[in-house]
Amino acid sequence: MTAPAIRHYLQFSDFTADEYAYLFERAAFIKARFKAYEKHQPLTDRTLALIFEKASTRTRVSFEAGMYQLGGSVVHLTTGDSQLGRSEPIDDSAKVISRMVDLVMIRTFEQAKIEAFAAASRVPVINGLTNEFHPCQILADLFTFIEHRGSIKGKTVAWVGDGNNMANTWLQAAEILDFTVHVSTPSGYEVDQDVAGIRSADSYKVFKDPMDACRGADLVTTDVWTSMGYEAENEARRKAFADWCVDEEMMRVAQPDALFMHCLPAHRGEEVQAEVIDGPQSVVWDEAENRLHAQKALMEFLLLGRIA
Ligand code: CP
Ligand code: NVA
């Protein structure tokens, strides 16, 4: 018998629109069971390795709690407490770890590192954030949008801030799920279509002024001015990003029912005003919770495929 091909989730474009439709439905099903205190344990005896080379709260808790809730267990590794921090070659680490567990999630720096790990892995690998992408976050963000507003097809998402891993992943999602991203970044921090890995510029528009990006948007979203790994640029970024703070004025020019999202952690008074993130249009707590449900659907899909 031939084993089914391994699927990895290294960037948003690894799945099709049809697979996302399945995942969003499945996440809703899994969430409903969780809320009703019903057991859902399709991954009994499966083990997930969580590898963190950068800090995390949401990603760690959602994957760790999620895997236990699915009936499996978790091994947690960081650069500091494993041979990963002592220069063991990445493919040697991948060969060893993937002989002992069923699934691996990695949060690291360069995308090339997770690609190298996946190439040598016997088991599916999930991107828990790299410098270039954060697909699990956008999976949860889209699930949250759908819960609140229905399909995102044809809608407009305003991205205000850094042309970073989150922005790149939104661009990939727009291309696959057929919506538009209005991007406004300070100059020098633009998105790069090649890094974002998208085929064309059809699904996004660039705006100099963040107010123009927000005009008519169905969802306004932002992220920290300085992502992990870029701390040395902190001072320069504080100056460059001063006008890229999502405030009530920006929310006023968006659609009256526009949502606000932020992947968190947030800095009130920097990339977002407290009145916005703590205001009535913000769905950041649902967004954070939905990491749990969306990733449970993802792990189930990677290990068991579609459940009829
Ligand atoms: N949004 C997100 O990935 O949060 P953590 O860095 O806390 O995992
Ligand atoms: N862009 C941020 C997201 C944190 C969840 C970072 O990479 O640090």
Side-chain angles (χ1 to χ4, degrees), residues 99-129:
R99 279 179 179 235
M100 298 181 186
V101 302
D102 302 280
L103 187 61
V104 179
M105 187 240 66
I106 307 179
R107 166 168 286 196
T108 188
F109 293 86
E110 299 80 21
Q111 182 72 11
K113 224 167 159 183
I114 199 171
E115 304 272 355
F117 191 104
S121 173
R122 286 184 169 190
V123 302
V125 176
I126 297 171
N127 182 345
L129 181 144

Side-chain angles (χ1 to χ4, degrees), residues 211-246:
M211 281 291 280
D212 293 334
C214 294
R215 222 173 287 288
D218 300 286
L219 165 65
V220 177
T221 184
T222 186
D223 188 9
V224 290
W225 289 344
T226 305
S227 285
M228 291 181 279
Y230 297 83
E231 290 80 2
E233 301 173 15
N234 215 4
E235 269 322 296
R237 284 172 172 267
R238 286 174 90 86
K239 286 189 193 118
F241 282 78
D243 293 334
W244 276 262
C245 171
V246 177

Side-chain angles (χ1 to χ4, degrees), residues 242-270:
D243 293 334
W244 276 262
C245 171
V246 177
D247 56 18
E248 288 175 301
E249 235 187 298
M250 291 186 199
M251 294 306 296
R252 255 195 299 276
V253 298
Q255 294 289 346
D257 69 343
L259 299 175
F260 172 78
M261 288 191 195
H262 188 311
C263 63
L264 307 177
H267 300 85
R268 288 167 178 79
E270 292 189 11

Side-chain angles (χ1 to χ4, degrees), residues 18-31:
D18 183 55
E19 287 169 332
Y20 281 112
Y22 168 78
L23 282 173
F24 297 137
E25 257 184 48
R26 194 69 188 162
F29 169 80
I30 289 171
K31 181 172 182 174

Side-chain angles (χ1 to χ4, degrees), residues 54-55 58-59 107 128-131 133-134 137 159 162 164-167 223-224 226-231 262-265 291:
K54 290 176 177 170
R58 280 143 288 268
T59 303
R107 166 168 286 196
L129 181 144
T130 56
N131 291 350
F133 299 114
H134 198 2
Q137 182 69 55
W159 176 264
D162 194 12
N164 64 8
N165 43 11
M166 284 292 295
D223 188 9
V224 290
T226 305
S227 285
M228 291 181 279
Y230 297 83
E231 290 80 2
H262 188 311
C263 63
L264 307 177
R291 293 288 301 278

Side-chain angles (χ1 to χ4, degrees), residues 26 30 40-44 46 69-71 300 304 307:
R26 194 69 188 162
I30 289 171
H40 178 66
Q41 303 199 318
L43 301 186
T44 306
R46 306 290 184 114
Q69 289 161 14
L70 291 171
E300 186 192 71
L304 305 179
I307 316 281

